[in-house]
């Protein structure tokens, strides 16, 4: 498949869990994959995994929470690898600022820190990725989100307002661009992603928590991409054990 006929997915904040599952799932449908993460330490392994499945990929090092770096790396991908059809944005972070602060103890600075680390980087991704999609009248944007943006989860404290803000931002964006041919959706995740770095950390600590198979999430994302009639999919293994 040539660069003029194939589609390209940019996986921003790529990791061994959902990021790689998204890369493989879309790659199986003929997409070329651009992997982007803060460092290139694991890129060789990621590309080897994809190559073993017959998937063409390239990798780029950039801080995907930095709007300027996101703009630059997406421009590089489009110039070197092909016009970007789909973006998946799902970097995971165990903490923002001083970490989780219970809401009864959270001041304005504690609530603002997750907004700066979660919501505003997503806005930067949209600012960089959306204009070419609108010019073409085609494209897709996927965002990984947290269940605390949908349901009250007091244990997540000051992370919950940011998760809720990101969820509503994506849903509102989806409604705003739908008639212009662009699809946007949030993958609202309640549980540990298997094979991901946070999952590995909990395993090492011997902490048993409910998990989600990232291949199942990526498969759902693919079907959402094709049907374009759902702006949100919820994956919840936490409510039943709460």
């Amino acid at each position: 498949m040539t660069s003029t006929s194939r589609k390209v997915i940019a996986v921003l904040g790529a990791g061994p869990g959902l990021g790689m599952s998204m890369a493989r799932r879309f790659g199986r449908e003929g997409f070329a994959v651009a992997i982007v993460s803060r460092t290139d330490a694991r890129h060789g392994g990621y590309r080897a995994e994809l190559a073993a499945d017959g998937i063409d990929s390239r990798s780029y090092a950039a801080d995907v929470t930095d709007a300027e770096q996101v703009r630059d790396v997406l421009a590089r991908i489009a110039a070197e690898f092909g016009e970007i059809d789909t973006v998946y944005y799902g970097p995971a972070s165990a903490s923002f600022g001083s970490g989780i602060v219970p809401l009864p103890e959270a001041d304005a600075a504690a609530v603002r820190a997750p907004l700066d680390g979660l919501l505003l980087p997503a806005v930067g991704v949209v600012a960089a990725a959306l204009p070419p999609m609108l010019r073409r009248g085609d494209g897709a944007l996927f965002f990984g989100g947290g269940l605390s943006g949908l349901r009250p989860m007091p244990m997540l404290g000051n992370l919950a307002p940011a998760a809720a803000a990101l969820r509503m931002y994506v849903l509102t964006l989806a409604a705003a661009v739908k008639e212009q041919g662009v699809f946007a959706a949030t993958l609202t995740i309640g549980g540990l992603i298997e094979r991901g770095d946070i999952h590995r950390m909990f395993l090492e600590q011997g902490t048993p928590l409910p998990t989600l198979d990232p291949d199942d999430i990526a498969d759902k994302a693919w079907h959402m991409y094709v049907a374009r009639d759902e702006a949100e999919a919820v994956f919840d293994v936490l409510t039943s054990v709460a």
Side-chain angles (χ1 to χ4, degrees), residues 76-231:
R76 283 184 58 202
I77 292 167
E80 300 172 2
F81 204 28
E83 196 168 38
I84 299 170
D85 174 85
T86 300
V87 171
Y88 168 68
Y89 179 73
S93 177
S95 65
F96 297 99
S98 59
I100 295 175
V101 179
L103 280 184
E105 304 168 18
D107 59 13
V111 173
R112 184 184 303 115
L115 289 167
D116 290 342
L118 184 64
L119 174 63
L120 297 186
V123 175
V125 168
V126 172
L130 182 59
M133 296 180 181
L134 291 176
R135 287 194 292 270
R136 294 196 315 266
D138 192 19
L141 297 159
F142 285 95
F143 297 85
L147 190 64
S148 63
L150 176 64
R151 297 177 185 150
M153 301 182 72
M155 75 287 292
L156 293 181
N158 61 326
L159 299 184
L166 175 61
R167 175 176 178 268
M168 189 50 61
Y169 172 73
V170 176
L171 293 178
T172 305
L173 176 70
V177 300
K178 181 177 181 180
E179 298 305 318
Q180 300 176 72
V182 178
F183 176 67
T186 178
L187 306 173
T188 300
I189 297 166
L192 287 178
I193 301 295
E194 294 172 7
R195 302 191 297 274
D197 290 330
I198 297 176
H199 179 228
R200 184 178 298 109
M201 178 184 70
F202 276 94
L203 286 178
E204 291 171 353
Q205 294 174 350
T207 305
L209 286 173
T211 62
L212 291 161
D213 185 338
D215 292 342
D216 292 340
I217 300 173
D219 189 59
K220 175 61 177 179
W222 171 253
H223 289 291
M224 293 169 73
Y225 172 87
V226 172
R228 298 182 178 238
D229 58 3
E230 296 177 85

Side-chain angles (χ1 to χ4, degrees), residues 14 56 58-59 62 66 68 71 114 153 165 171-172 192 209 218 235 242:
D56 187 17
R58 294 191 187 186
S59 58
D66 182 297
E68 184 175 352
R71 185 180 65 248
M153 301 182 72
L171 293 178
T172 305
L192 287 178
L209 286 173
F235 307 89

